[in-house]
Amino acid sequence: MLLGILFIASIAMIKQKKTRVLFFGDSITQAGVGPQGYITKLSDMLKDKNLDAQYELLGAGIGGNKVYDLYLRMDSDVLAKNPDVVVIWVGVNDVWHKASYGTGTDPDKFQRFYEAIIKKLQAKNIKVFLTTPSTIGERTDNSNQQDGDLNRYSGIIRNLASTMNCGLIDLRKDFLEYNLKNNPENKESGILTTDRVHLNEKGNEFVAEKMFNALFSKK
Amino acid sequence: MLLGILFIASIAMIKQKKTRVLFFGDSITQAGVGPQGYITKLSDMLKDKNLDAQYELLGAGIGGNKVYDLYLRMDSDVLAKNPDVVVIWVGVNDVWHKASYGTGTDPDKFQRFYEAIIKKLQAKNIKVFLTTPSTIGERTDNSNQQDGDLNRYSGIIRNLASTMNCGLIDLRKDFLEYNLKNNPENKESGILTTDRVHLNEKGNEFVAEKMFNALFSKK
Amino acid sequence: MLLGILFIASIAMIKQKKTRVLFFGDSITQAGVGPQGYITKLSDMLKDKNLDAQYELLGAGIGGNKVYDLYLRMDSDVLAKNPDVVVIWVGVNDVWHKASYGTGTDPDKFQRFYEAIIKKLQAKNIKVFLTTPSTIGERTDNSNQQDGDLNRYSGIIRNLASTMNCGLIDLRKDFLEYNLKNNPENKESGILTTDRVHLNEKGNEFVAEKMFNALFSKK
Amino acid sequence: MLLGILFIASIAMIKQKKTRVLFFGDSITQAGVGPQGYITKLSDMLKDKNLDAQYELLGAGIGGNKVYDLYLRMDSDVLAKNPDVVVIWVGVNDVWHKASYGTGTDPDKFQRFYEAIIKKLQAKNIKVFLTTPSTIGERTDNSNQQDGDLNRYSGIIRNLASTMNCGLIDLRKDFLEYNLKNNPENKESGILTTDRVHLNEKGNEFVAEKMFNALFSKK
């Protein structure tokens, strides 16, 4: 993610002001600004490393959001905040709502609306990072109901990151690797999540580390 | 629909060219340009009344389309054709795909994307007519699986027509009235449809009449 | 429901013991034995009318149950209790789980498993009453998402009651009639339910009255 | 599968009549008796090895069947035929109908009805073989929509085979292994299926071989 980091660093230097990083997503990101949330932890990490004068972190997560919702609220909730960097984390509800409401997102439209969001952000010279949807169920033997779709939609996101020159934070891959080591009983939840989807404290820590490395560390 | 008619008539007079009417929708509209389709029948009716020099009818229906699809293809498939009038007929798949793919449309997003389409058309001075989704099943005792949602989404469309100053062709209401008279055995299909959804010849005739009255007749 | 009442009365006389009435259903019935529940209210009504020496009421409701679940647990939860009368109230989850889990019940299998339950009860000389599923949403204009299916599955239940000589408590019809009078604002919930499905206090009272009339009153 | 083979062989010897093997399943099995079907191919293989005097093969597949359907029709379609061996192949529709009709099968009820079928067959001294559901989509990277559920329900079937002393034909595992070698382009269909689910000629051959080894070969 060197490109992204240099980019962010250079923004900070030129602008002589804090680089504003906005996290755009669903309920996971909404909880991210809570006391134990991953965005709060990222802020703490920046303080620990004396980087807090350089960065300002903003949460823009709303529970239940799918790619359509992000698209509809991006003017008011993202562009109006003038961010330098936007981290998009969406996809869990696009897949999950198929079974729980019958209103999930078709793969082709997931891609097209996601693309439209990226284009609009890049047109404003905003650096964009994409995140793959982590889990709906932490079993490691590909037997969680939505595993097939999460893998498929993650593939779409990886392609978008590659073809549209975005940063990629591949949480789907990261979570599975972690669980393969730390979930020997093949549990549905309780490793990085409280309820198969939302992050427990370890999960928030884990995500904060992965995000820090992608966004702020100079490796 | 007097307002609409006068409007269309006045366009024709001012422009000294054919008024271009585009039908924007799903598989029902795609079939509408076939030999027995409702758009073909409308063309025949215009000829019969010596109105064919004044109007040009275009079909822009694609099977499986939901409101999201119309939104995504409106630049290329509608605005690029410079229509004077657009008749939107969408909603069946937004409701139906909940059960058949898990990718139906949430009511709030149905409204917001529909609104966005109307706004974009009206910004180009295009006169817009809205159509309510006719049927998924012709039983008249409210026992077709999607009746609740079709009624709800039709309500959203009626509100949009009223608040956004669009014409309304209330096929949901028209089809039910027709079936209450002509479907005494409470059949699922075979009255105005072949398969609960797509129009048989009588259905195409029925729709053509309703559309003609709304779009072209001077009552 | 005269037949049912005489039947129940005659059981009481012959047996010289309390007639045991068991309520077999889902979460609505599970809540029925709570402090404000409809079964508790029925017990109170029996006391008020000095009928409590004649009847014993038992609840056998489990949240989330569909017709398949009733079928699987009828030996242990119903037959083992030796009831004289069983009131079956099922169907809401058979319809609702289509949208919320993708595991609703096909209409043909709803009928066949329901039939199998009735047959097994009648083979033990148990008098059976069937209840239609009341509501998933209290709007009165047929615009609740599951209205079509609730009407369809209620039709199946009415047919079963008629062809298999069971009592019928037509709550679907009763609830709609009540809402047409008492829900002028077309609200989704708050009239007889707390949340579109589960009974509020008025709802429990209403159901207790309907059940009392069907099961115990000598009209 | 030595136990099964000896068992089948011993039946043949004792009875001095053909061992009757019945294939009980869904549309895949219904097609199995067609000219290119896997059951037809099995018959041909038995002839080639001069084993056709010992075995009689019967198909009992009906399109769209789920475990509930097998349960409901087992008296008429299986027990009435007096088979010595029953091969059950079910699960695809239990999973698939979640998305395509909203009427898939809950995992706990899949297990309980499957168990009930096995018990009823074993009570008649019928040898039972279980088959795991092969594929809904042949992509090999776990990105077919139903992969998670197919893996989960296959796990349930493997457990049942093990705890209830049934033969196991693990087609889910076999198909994936075959595709990992023969589907380098990660196609959705066309390797062993025509349409992601139903067998093409190669698929019928492949299944016939796996079944032959499990049921008839003396390794």
Side-chain angles (χ1 to χ4, degrees):
Chain A
M1 220 35 57
L2 195 57
L3 198 68
I5 296 143
L6 292 180
F7 185 88
I8 295 181
S10 66
I11 293 170
M13 274 184 290
I14 295 162
K15 288 200 167 187
Q16 303 291 350
K17 67 167 189 72
K18 287 191 176 190
T19 298
R20 187 172 284 179
V21 183
L22 185 142
F23 298 84
F24 193 29
D26 56 28
S27 58
I28 301 174
T29 295
Q30 191 172 20
V33 297
Q36 305 293 340
Y38 76 88
I39 300 170
T40 305
K41 286 186 193 296
L42 274 171
S43 293
D44 293 345
M45 291 165 84
L46 288 172
K47 260 179 228 155
D48 285 353
K49 316 234 175 184
N50 291 316
L51 291 165
D52 51 323
Q54 290 172 46
Y55 298 103
E56 182 187 9
L57 309 188
L58 292 179
I62 293 187
N65 268 205
K66 294 178 281 216
V67 74
Y68 301 129
D69 299 279
L70 298 194
Y71 179 83
L72 286 168
R73 68 187 181 87
M74 71 179 300
D75 286 337
S76 55
D77 290 5
V78 181
L79 299 182
K81 305 277 172 64
N82 289 312
D84 303 295
V85 179
V86 168
V87 181
I88 304 174
W89 188 357
V90 78
V92 162
N93 294 311
D94 297 85
V95 165
W96 203 4
H97 287 193
K98 290 188 185 182
S100 57
Y101 296 102
T103 58
T105 306
D106 294 304
D108 64 325
K109 277 179 283 294
F110 183 78
Q111 173 164 339
R112 292 197 56 186
F113 279 98
Y114 209 133
E115 237 173 57
I117 292 170
I118 295 171
K119 270 187 198 163
K120 259 185 137 172
L121 292 172
Q122 288 180 335
K124 301 276 184 187
N125 289 315
I126 296 167
K127 171 71 186 165
V128 184
F129 285 79
L130 313 187
T131 309
T132 51
S134 36
T135 76
I136 306 173
E138 301 193 59
R139 288 195 295 249
T140 57
D141 58 350
N142 276 301
S143 72
N144 306 289
Q145 185 177 342
Q146 278 81 18
D147 276 346
D149 262 349
L150 286 175
N151 289 334
R152 180 167 184 197
Y153 288 59
S154 292
I156 293 171
I157 291 170
R158 287 180 199 118
N159 279 342
L160 285 172
S162 158
T163 58
M164 298 185 76
N165 195 29
C166 301
L168 176 68
I169 304 169
D170 199 344
L171 294 181
R172 174 99 188 125
K173 185 167 149 284
D174 297 335
F175 270 56
L176 182 57
E177 277 174 16
Y178 185 89
N179 265 290
L180 281 167
K181 283 181 201 147
N182 296 283
N183 184 8
E185 294 172 48
N186 204 26
K187 289 190 205 165
E188 269 212 308
S189 63
I191 311 302
L192 294 170
T193 73
T194 56
D195 62 353
R196 302 191 302 139
V197 171
H198 297 92
L199 307 176
N200 63 14
E201 183 153 13
K202 182 68 211 163
N204 274 297
E205 256 175 58
F206 184 78
V207 168
E209 276 165 38
K210 296 294 176 189
M211 295 244 177
F212 191 91
N213 288 339
L215 296 169
F216 308 116
S217 83
K218 304 180 184 182
K219 277 178 290 196
Chain B
M1 219 35 52
L2 195 56
L3 198 67
I5 298 143
L6 292 181
F7 184 89
I8 295 180
S10 66
I11 293 171
M13 275 185 290
I14 295 162
K15 289 196 165 187
Q16 302 293 350
K17 67 168 190 72
K18 285 193 179 189
T19 297
R20 188 173 283 178
V21 183
L22 184 144
F23 297 84
F24 193 27
D26 56 27
S27 58
I28 301 174
T29 295
Q30 191 172 17
V33 296
Q36 305 292 341
Y38 74 88
I39 300 170
T40 305
K41 287 186 192 296
L42 274 171
S43 293
D44 294 345
M45 290 165 84
L46 288 172
K47 260 179 229 154
D48 286 351
K49 316 233 175 183
N50 291 315
L51 291 165
D52 52 323
Q54 292 173 46
Y55 298 102
E56 181 186 11
L57 309 189
L58 293 179
I62 293 187
N65 268 206
K66 294 178 282 216
V67 74
Y68 300 129
D69 299 281
L70 298 195
Y71 179 83
L72 285 168
R73 68 186 181 88
M74 69 180 300
D75 285 338
S76 55
D77 291 6
V78 182
L79 298 181
K81 307 278 173 64
N82 288 313
D84 302 295
V85 179
V86 169
V87 181
I88 304 173
W89 187 357
V90 78
V92 161
N93 293 312
D94 297 85
V95 165
W96 203 5
H97 288 193
K98 290 188 186 184
S100 56
Y101 296 101
T103 58
T105 307
D106 295 304
D108 64 325
K109 276 178 284 293
F110 183 78
Q111 173 164 340
R112 291 196 59 187
F113 279 98
Y114 209 134
E115 238 172 56
I117 293 169
I118 296 170
K119 271 187 197 162
K120 259 183 137 172
L121 293 172
Q122 289 181 334
K124 302 276 185 190
N125 287 317
I126 296 167
K127 172 70 186 166
V128 184
F129 285 79
L130 314 187
T131 308
T132 51
S134 38
T135 76
I136 306 173
E138 301 194 60
R139 288 195 296 251
T140 57
D141 58 350
N142 276 300
S143 74
N144 306 291
Q145 186 177 342
Q146 279 80 15
D147 277 346
D149 261 350
L150 286 175
N151 289 333
R152 182 169 183 196
Y153 288 58
S154 292
I156 292 171
I157 291 169
R158 288 178 199 119
N159 279 341
L160 285 172
S162 157
T163 58
M164 296 185 77
N165 195 29
C166 300
L168 177 69
I169 304 170
D170 199 343
L171 294 181
R172 174 99 188 124
K173 185 170 149 283
D174 297 336
F175 270 56
L176 182 57
E177 277 173 15
Y178 185 88
N179 266 291
L180 282 167
K181 284 183 201 145
N182 296 284
N183 185 7
E185 292 173 48
N186 203 28
K187 289 189 204 164
E188 269 211 308
S189 64
I191 312 301
L192 293 170
T193 74
T194 55
D195 61 355
R196 300 191 304 139
V197 171
H198 296 92
L199 306 177
N200 62 16
E201 183 154 13
K202 180 69 211 163
N204 274 298
E205 255 175 57
F206 184 78
V207 167
E209 276 166 37
K210 295 294 174 186
M211 294 244 179
F212 192 90
N213 289 339
L215 296 168
F216 307 117
S217 83
K218 304 183 183 180
K219 275 176 294 196
Chain C
M1 221 34 57
L2 194 56
L3 198 68
I5 296 143
L6 291 181
F7 184 88
I8 295 181
S10 65
I11 294 170
M13 275 186 287
I14 295 162
K15 289 199 166 186
Q16 302 293 349
K17 68 168 189 71
K18 286 190 178 191
T19 298
R20 187 173 283 178
V21 183
L22 185 143
F23 297 84
F24 193 29
D26 56 28
S27 58
I28 302 174
T29 295
Q30 190 171 21
V33 296
Q36 305 293 341
Y38 76 88
I39 300 170
T40 305
K41 286 186 193 295
L42 273 172
S43 293
D44 294 346
M45 290 165 85
L46 288 171
K47 261 180 227 154
D48 286 352
K49 316 233 173 184
N50 290 316
L51 291 165
D52 52 322
Q54 291 173 45
Y55 298 102
E56 182 187 8
L57 309 188
L58 292 179
I62 292 187
N65 268 205
K66 294 178 281 217
V67 73
Y68 301 128
D69 300 279
L70 298 194
Y71 179 83
L72 285 169
R73 67 187 182 87
M74 69 180 301
D75 285 338
S76 56
D77 291 6
V78 180
L79 298 181
K81 306 278 172 64
N82 288 313
D84 303 295
V85 178
V86 169
V87 180
I88 304 173
W89 188 356
V90 78
V92 161
N93 293 312
D94 297 84
V95 165
W96 203 5
H97 287 192
K98 289 188 185 181
S100 57
Y101 296 101
T103 58
T105 307
D106 294 304
D108 64 325
K109 277 179 282 294
F110 183 78
Q111 172 164 341
R112 291 196 58 187
F113 279 98
Y114 209 133
E115 236 173 59
I117 292 170
I118 296 170
K119 270 187 198 162
K120 259 184 137 173
L121 293 172
Q122 288 180 335
K124 301 277 185 187
N125 288 316
I126 295 167
K127 171 71 187 166
V128 184
F129 286 80
L130 313 186
T131 308
T132 51
S134 35
T135 77
I136 305 173
E138 301 193 59
R139 288 196 295 251
T140 57
D141 58 350
N142 275 302
S143 73
N144 306 290
Q145 187 179 343
Q146 279 80 16
D147 276 347
D149 262 350
L150 287 175
N151 289 333
R152 180 167 184 198
Y153 288 58
S154 291
I156 293 171
I157 292 170
R158 287 179 199 120
N159 279 342
L160 285 172
S162 157
T163 57
M164 297 186 77
N165 195 28
C166 300
L168 177 69
I169 304 170
D170 199 344
L171 293 181
R172 175 100 186 124
K173 185 167 150 283
D174 297 336
F175 271 55
L176 182 57
E177 277 174 15
Y178 184 89
N179 266 291
L180 282 167
K181 283 182 200 147
N182 297 283
N183 185 8
E185 292 172 48
N186 204 27
K187 288 190 206 165
E188 269 212 307
S189 62
I191 311 301
L192 294 171
T193 74
T194 57
D195 62 354
R196 302 190 303 138
V197 171
H198 297 93
L199 306 176
N200 62 14
E201 182 153 14
K202 181 68 211 164
N204 275 297
E205 255 175 58
F206 184 77
V207 167
E209 275 166 38
K210 296 294 175 187
M211 295 244 179
F212 192 91
N213 289 339
L215 297 168
F216 308 118
S217 83
K218 305 180 184 181
K219 275 178 293 196
Chain D
M1 219 38 53
L2 195 57
L3 198 68
I5 297 143
L6 291 180
F7 184 90
I8 295 180
S10 66
I11 293 170
M13 274 184 289
I14 295 163
K15 289 197 165 186
Q16 304 290 351
K17 66 168 191 67
K18 286 192 178 190
T19 298
R20 186 173 285 179
V21 183
L22 184 143
F23 297 84
F24 193 27
D26 55 28
S27 58
I28 302 174
T29 296
Q30 189 171 19
V33 296
Q36 305 291 342
Y38 75 88
I39 300 171
T40 305
K41 287 186 192 297
L42 275 171
S43 293
D44 293 346
M45 291 165 84
L46 288 172
K47 261 179 227 152
D48 285 352
K49 316 232 175 185
N50 291 317
L51 291 165
D52 53 322
Q54 291 173 44
Y55 298 103
E56 180 187 11
L57 309 189
L58 292 179
I62 292 187
N65 268 206
K66 294 178 281 215
V67 73
Y68 301 129
D69 298 280
L70 298 194
Y71 179 84
L72 286 168
R73 68 186 181 88
M74 69 180 300
D75 285 338
S76 55
D77 290 6
V78 181
L79 299 182
K81 307 276 173 64
N82 288 313
D84 302 295
V85 179
V86 169
V87 180
I88 304 174
W89 188 357
V90 78
V92 161
N93 293 312
D94 298 85
V95 165
W96 203 7
H97 287 193
K98 289 189 185 183
S100 56
Y101 297 101
T103 59
T105 307
D106 295 303
D108 65 325
K109 275 178 284 293
F110 183 77
Q111 173 164 340
R112 292 196 59 187
F113 279 98
Y114 209 134
E115 237 173 57
I117 292 169
I118 297 170
K119 271 187 198 163
K120 259 184 136 171
L121 293 171
Q122 289 180 333
K124 301 277 185 189
N125 288 317
I126 296 167
K127 173 70 187 167
V128 184
F129 285 78
L130 313 187
T131 308
T132 51
S134 37
T135 77
I136 305 174
E138 301 193 60
R139 288 195 295 252
T140 57
D141 58 350
N142 276 301
S143 73
N144 306 291
Q145 187 178 342
Q146 277 81 17
D147 276 347
D149 261 350
L150 287 175
N151 288 333
R152 183 168 184 196
Y153 288 58
S154 292
I156 294 171
I157 291 169
R158 289 179 198 119
N159 279 341
L160 284 172
S162 157
T163 58
M164 297 184 77
N165 195 29
C166 302
L168 176 69
I169 304 169
D170 199 343
L171 293 181
R172 174 98 188 126
K173 186 169 149 282
D174 297 336
F175 271 56
L176 182 57
E177 278 174 16
Y178 184 89
N179 265 292
L180 281 167
K181 282 181 204 149
N182 297 283
N183 184 9
E185 293 173 49
N186 204 26
K187 290 190 205 164
E188 269 212 308
S189 63
I191 312 303
L192 294 170
T193 73
T194 56
D195 61 354
R196 301 191 303 139
V197 172
H198 297 92
L199 306 176
N200 62 16
E201 182 153 14
K202 180 69 211 163
N204 274 297
E205 255 175 59
F206 184 77
V207 167
E209 275 166 39
K210 295 295 174 186
M211 294 242 179
F212 192 91
N213 289 339
L215 296 167
F216 308 118
S217 83
K218 302 181 184 182
K219 276 176 294 196

